[in-house]
Amino acid sequence: MMKSNKILTILFSFLVISSCKLNSKTEKMDNIELSNGIFIKCKSLSFNEFETLKLTVSGGPIEKFRKQFGVEVYQLNNQDVIANEGDYYMLFDNVDDVERVLVDNQTSHGTEILSNKNPFGKDFPNNTHSLIKELIDTLSVKYVQSDEQLLKDLDYKLDRLPNISEFKKKHLLNFIAVIGEVLLKENKSEWEMILSSDGKTWNPYLRSTGRPIEFFTYLYEDIYTNGNLKSSLFEVYQTVIEIEKNRR
């Protein structure tokens, strides 16, 4: 369980944010996913940015956050909220969002299926092609492009492995990469990296319409939870396609 007085420290450490325009709310903010699936927007700040925003607060620090979580939270005049703990500073859309994040981290055990399995963090989309190459080289699959045929060729090789269960566990991230890239091409999707409520695990979602799809959970459940050795990469791909069709 995450210690409450280290929440902002952990969140800040794994948020990679470009320079902030303090007078603009149109700049893209990062998403934090809570354990119940709700997404909260936030943005890390420098000390100077925090101090500048602090000049617009409508009062002192909100007492309940200081007492319950050891975090200083200030309400700005435009309803935005800034929070700081030690040398770490963050911006949220409103007070409720701050409380949801703090409560979620205090009560959640932070169990994430990709915890310690995604060494690339937020930069995962920039490493998918190297992960695909690693997989096709290992299985000796001819690689022309990321398409449905590639998934079928990989399934053919996987079905003939003597140690398929251990192989799938070891190459979960490679499977996520190849299915995701095929969906990007065939379904006009795009990667969206979302920070989990544990404050350190970046999860790779796909978005084309509506809510992001966490298709990596289907893979994980088949490999780690259900032990479904017959499940194919192409089947997972088809499942995501069907979900997208039903959303339209």
Side-chain angles (χ1 to χ4, degrees):
M1 181 178 292
M2 202 173 291
K3 294 182 180 179
S4 60
N5 63 345
K6 295 298 181 183
I7 293 171
L8 291 186
T9 301
I10 294 171
L11 288 178
F12 183 93
S13 298
F14 291 89
L15 287 172
V16 182
I17 314 292
S18 58
S19 59
C20 302
K21 297 179 181 179
L22 297 181
N23 294 323
S24 174
K25 285 307 297 292
T26 60
E27 184 185 356
K28 184 177 180 180
M29 296 176 75
D30 272 311
N31 282 320
I32 293 178
E33 183 187 12
L34 304 186
S35 57
N36 61 4
I38 292 176
F39 297 99
I40 301 295
K41 293 187 179 298
C42 68
K43 180 166 60 178
S44 62
L45 302 170
S46 69
F47 171 75
N48 288 336
E49 290 166 343
F50 177 81
E51 287 297 305
T52 299
L53 288 172
K54 193 175 175 181
L55 296 174
T56 69
V57 300
S58 55
I62 302 174
E63 193 64 23
K64 72 173 182 178
F65 290 108
R66 178 185 287 176
K67 287 183 177 180
Q68 186 174 350
F69 304 102
V71 176
E72 289 196 350
V73 177
Y74 299 86
Q75 176 82 60
L76 305 183
N77 289 332
N78 64 350
Q79 301 305 309
D80 291 347
V81 174
I82 54 175
N84 85 285
E85 176 191 25
D87 294 327
Y88 300 93
Y89 312 92
M90 299 187 76
L91 171 69
F92 293 86
D93 282 340
N94 53 66
V95 171
D96 288 342
D97 282 354
V98 179
E99 186 164 13
R100 286 175 185 147
V101 170
L102 295 176
V103 170
D104 189 75
N105 277 277
Q106 188 178 65
T107 58
S108 171
H109 291 283
T111 301
E112 289 297 324
I113 64 175
L114 290 186
S115 178
N116 300 316
K117 292 182 176 64
N118 175 19
F120 306 106
K122 191 178 181 182
D123 200 40
F124 173 79
N126 294 326
N127 291 275
T128 53
H129 293 294
S130 62
L131 286 167
I132 294 172
K133 186 177 186 307
E134 178 185 59
L135 183 62
I136 63 172
D137 286 349
T138 302
L139 293 173
S140 299
V141 173
K142 183 179 180 181
Y143 177 45
V144 178
Q145 59 184 340
S146 296
D147 57 14
E148 294 182 359
Q149 187 58 49
L150 175 59
L151 296 179
K152 294 176 182 178
D153 291 344
L154 288 168
D155 283 333
Y156 178 84
K157 290 285 187 174
L158 288 169
D159 285 343
R160 283 149 183 79
L161 290 178
N163 59 340
I164 185 172
S165 178
E166 288 304 313
F167 186 91
K168 282 189 172 183
K169 289 180 180 179
K170 183 178 179 181
H171 293 87
L172 173 63
L173 209 61
N174 303 79
F175 297 151
I176 293 172
V178 69
I179 293 175
E181 286 298 324
V182 175
L183 286 166
L184 258 65
K185 177 186 175 184
E186 303 291 345
N187 202 41
K188 297 181 180 179
S189 304
E190 61 181 15
W191 290 109
E192 180 172 349
M193 300 302 295
I194 295 177
L195 184 64
S196 166
S197 62
D198 71 357
K200 63 180 182 180
T201 304
W202 285 97
N203 291 319
Y205 289 69
L206 286 174
R207 181 191 290 275
S208 59
T209 59
R211 184 182 177 84
I213 300 175
E214 50 178 320
F215 74 99
F216 60 90
T217 59
Y218 310 146
L219 274 168
Y220 181 89
E221 289 171 359
D222 279 345
I223 296 172
Y224 283 87
T225 306
N226 302 330
N228 186 0
L229 302 184
K230 294 183 179 180
S231 176
S232 70
L233 303 182
F234 188 70
E235 285 176 352
V236 174
Y237 164 79
Q238 287 182 310
T239 297
V240 178
I241 293 295
E242 286 302 313
I243 291 174
E244 281 296 281
K245 285 182 180 178
N246 291 334
R247 287 182 175 185
R248 293 168 186 168

